[in-house]
Amino acid sequence: MPQIIGVPKETAAGEKRVATVPEVVEKLIKLGFAVRLQSGAGDGANCSDDSYRAAGAEVVATAAELWSGSDIVLKVGVPTAEEVGLMREGGTLIGFIWPAQNPELMQQLAAKKATVLAIDSLPRTLSRAQKMDALTSQAGVAGYRAVIEAANAFGRFFNGQITAAGKVPPAKVFIAGAGVAGLAAIGTAANLGAIVRANDTRAEVADQVVSLGGEFVKVDYEEEGSGGGGYAKVMSEGFQQAQREMYAKQAREVDIIITTALIPGKPAPRLITAEMVQSMKPGSVIVDMAAERGGNCELTEAGKAVVKHGVTLIGYTDLNSRLAKQSSTLYATNLFRLAEELCKTKDGVINVNMEDDAIRGLTVIKDGGITWPPPPVKQAAAPRPAAAAAKPAEKKGHGHGGGGGPIPAKALAILFGVGALAFWFIGAYAPAAFLGHFTVFVLACFIGYMVVWNVTPALHTPLMSVTNAISSIICIGALVQVAPPLQDVAGRPGGWILGLAVTGIALTAINMFGGFAVTRRMLEMFRK
């Protein structure tokens, strides 16, 4: 019998998101589940009860009916004690739990003999888990919305303009932290025409900042800031002092600061002091995305937008709810991808496979037993170090030199000898017409290889697709075979040659049109 997925109305103040949307309800039903929704659950995200009914969901009136009648409950916010009390014993809960910050909630859920999958505990280092990564999808929305809030509070254009009334300089935006939210903010601000600068403790994100149109501002202190799971780590006091000096300089120069710095399980680091705020130009804006955890700015007030020293400080903690429809759609898609992993048989019954690294990381409670924290994710064995270690021994074994390369010198000499012999044989016995064509073919291969070798790796896919289209010049040869010679209509090719030529024309037509279509779509990704 298929299990029932229940989606309650969120009870947190100001929370407008919903755990699934009508488009995803249809997909869940195709997996075999029955879907039940509390009346009004999607109102904040512009999803009416009627739209859910049209998608195949059942709408119930009360939270008690929803929680007690559902085998699996999908939620956005952390459940309250009252909601846990309504939950069916032995049921399954999927959503944000934050087990490290909510030990009492974990005990309440364990007492219900529940199975709990915390979407915030997903091992983000697994590439196959990216489709289920709700933290990333929600952070991207929040980063975008932070720039919109800054633009709303800022008194000028973001982009520079030259008008009859005078010249308007572009706004200068500084992003503190280039994680998912920071990168989304960088891209949004750059697209609005601002001059964007950004900083992060992780040096490897510098290229990502530049690719989005920003300038990476480096701290004058050498220390690696990468932590586990893609997060940043707590830096040394020396680094923090150099970082504060850099922030103080940026505060004096820029118009808008957006801070995104957070470390899981720890209070938000203080990056912007009261003195820095005071040094900013009147009318400047600070958007503190870490306000809920204490804030990156010393003067931030969580949940409010206040003006201090002539600077607007925005500490909203509901940035995702301010784009509720988009946030809900992305979150619902994340949960649907998780449902696909839990129900591979498409029979509407989930299987919490604790042998799967992604599912094991998500599962914080299994049948009433607390399984958090999970064991470290198993890393695939890498054979390369062993091969590298074997190279010196291999080199010693070849006393004639050249043994350190990928191909031994003796084998390389034999290969060239065989190639030279083959070329001599072709030159001695092949017809003169063939030699001309063969020479052009060899030169074309060499030139093509050298051209492709010098292309930027980011453009390899569009290059290959357009190359496929251009290479379909073979279509001309097929057309020549199909068409009769002008001077001898009777000299048409035989049936099998004609058939091959027609087939060649059909295949190369697909290659040409498909190649140019793929190229167009790929190049659109590089345009604003």
Side-chain angles (χ1 to χ4, degrees):
M1 183 176 179
Q3 292 179 311
I4 299 173
I5 292 178
V7 180
K9 186 175 182 178
E10 298 297 322
T11 58
E15 181 60 79
K16 297 180 180 179
R17 289 175 292 176
V18 63
T20 196
V21 294
E23 298 84 358
V24 175
V25 166
E26 296 175 356
K27 298 177 182 179
L28 290 171
I29 292 174
K30 288 180 180 179
L31 284 179
F33 296 104
V35 181
R36 178 176 293 177
L37 193 92
Q38 182 182 348
S39 180
D43 288 350
N46 296 320
C47 298
S48 66
D49 290 348
D50 289 338
S51 66
Y52 283 106
R53 290 191 184 97
E58 176 190 358
V59 178
V60 299
T62 65
E65 188 178 356
L66 185 284
W67 281 88
S68 61
S70 302
D71 302 298
I72 306 163
V73 175
L74 305 183
K75 259 189 71 62
V76 179
V78 177
T80 63
E82 291 76 14
E83 288 175 321
V84 175
L86 297 174
M87 186 177 180
R88 172 186 293 184
E89 186 166 326
T92 300
L93 174 64
I94 303 175
F96 285 103
I97 304 297
W98 304 108
Q101 288 79 31
N102 297 290
E104 293 183 4
L105 174 63
M106 293 284 286
Q107 294 297 331
Q108 293 170 1
L109 289 166
K112 279 281 188 177
K113 295 183 173 57
T115 296
V116 181
L117 279 72
I119 201 70
D120 48 89
S121 297
L122 180 74
R124 303 175 78 184
T125 54
L126 296 175
S127 58
R128 56 180 290 267
Q130 292 177 0
K131 60 185 179 182
M132 302 179 278
D133 191 355
L135 284 174
T136 294
S137 65
Q138 299 304 292
V141 174
Y144 173 89
R145 184 67 192 194
V147 176
I148 301 304
E149 293 294 340
N152 181 56
F154 189 50
R156 293 196 287 108
F157 294 133
F158 260 45
N159 62 323
Q161 294 188 17
I162 299 177
T163 69
K167 182 179 179 181
V168 180
K172 294 180 180 178
V173 180
F174 178 70
I175 314 291
V180 176
L183 291 173
I186 292 167
T188 305
N191 287 337
L192 287 174
I195 297 173
V196 184
R197 304 168 185 170
N199 169 260
D200 197 279
T201 57
R202 297 159 292 187
E204 65 268 17
V205 303
D207 290 340
Q208 300 175 43
V209 171
V210 174
S211 69
L212 289 170
E215 174 192 351
F216 187 78
V217 182
K218 194 174 183 298
V219 176
D220 190 16
Y221 193 97
E222 293 298 330
E223 183 177 350
E224 176 53 46
S226 296
Y231 294 99
K233 70 175 184 179
V234 178
M235 307 300 287
S236 67
E237 181 57 37
F239 181 93
Q240 292 181 32
Q241 177 59 34
Q243 188 182 51
R244 282 191 289 269
E245 294 174 0
M246 183 269 291
Y247 283 149
K249 179 182 178 183
Q250 293 299 322
R252 292 190 297 269
E253 296 179 358
V254 302
D255 304 297
I256 296 168
I257 295 177
I258 299 175
T259 66
T260 70
L262 271 177
I263 299 173
K266 298 182 182 295
R270 288 296 169 85
L271 305 178
I272 309 298
T273 64
E275 290 77 13
M276 295 180 195
V277 175
Q278 197 167 1
S279 71
M280 295 182 72
K281 292 173 282 189
S284 298
V285 179
I286 295 177
V287 181
D288 193 339
M289 295 183 64
E292 192 172 6
R293 299 285 187 87
N296 296 136
C297 178
E298 190 176 350
L299 301 180
T300 298
E301 294 184 23
K304 298 179 181 179
V306 296
V307 178
K308 297 182 180 180
H309 304 296
V311 177
T312 303
L313 293 100
I314 298 175
Y316 296 148
T317 57
D318 60 347
L319 291 172
N320 289 107
S321 285
R322 290 169 181 263
L323 277 174
K325 177 67 173 181
Q326 185 66 73
S327 298
S328 299
T329 301
L330 293 174
Y331 184 66
T333 303
N334 293 141
L335 295 189
F336 168 68
R337 296 304 179 189
L338 174 58
E340 284 184 319
E341 293 294 319
L342 294 171
C343 184
K344 294 183 178 180
T345 54
K346 298 184 179 181
D347 58 356
V349 178
I350 64 170
N351 173 32
V352 182
N353 179 16
M354 300 296 275
E355 298 299 319
D356 185 311
D357 285 340
I359 303 302
R360 175 63 187 89
L362 283 167
T363 308
V364 295
I365 300 176
K366 179 74 162 67
D367 298 327
I370 296 178
T371 59
W372 187 87
V377 177
K378 298 176 183 177
Q379 299 294 335
R384 288 188 175 182
K391 281 186 178 181
E394 182 184 350
K395 187 173 181 178
K396 290 180 182 178
H398 294 278
H400 299 289
I407 301 177
K410 186 176 181 180
L412 194 61
I414 294 174
L415 182 63
F416 274 105
V418 172
L421 185 62
F423 276 109
W424 174 85
F425 183 81
I426 293 172
Y429 296 99
F434 174 81
L435 285 178
H437 291 302
F438 184 71
T439 303
V440 172
F441 172 75
V442 172
L443 290 175
C445 289
F446 176 75
I447 294 171
Y449 174 80
M450 295 306 296
V451 168
V452 173
W453 181 265
N454 291 308
V455 171
T456 303
L459 295 175
H460 277 180
T461 300
L463 173 69
M464 289 302 103
S465 58
V466 76
T467 303
N468 285 343
I470 296 172
S471 68
S472 296
I473 194 74
I474 192 173
C475 184
I476 296 175
L479 289 171
V480 169
Q481 289 296 326
V482 171
L486 295 177
Q487 64 272 32
D488 185 9
V489 177
R492 293 177 61 87
W496 66 275
I497 296 178
L498 185 62
L500 287 176
V502 171
T503 303
I505 292 172
L507 293 177
T508 50
I510 295 172
N511 203 23
M512 283 189 289
F513 289 109
F516 284 120
V518 171
T519 302
R520 180 182 176 84
R521 292 188 62 182
M522 289 296 301
L523 292 178
E524 284 294 333
M525 298 172 61
F526 294 90
R527 299 192 182 107
K528 291 185 179 180

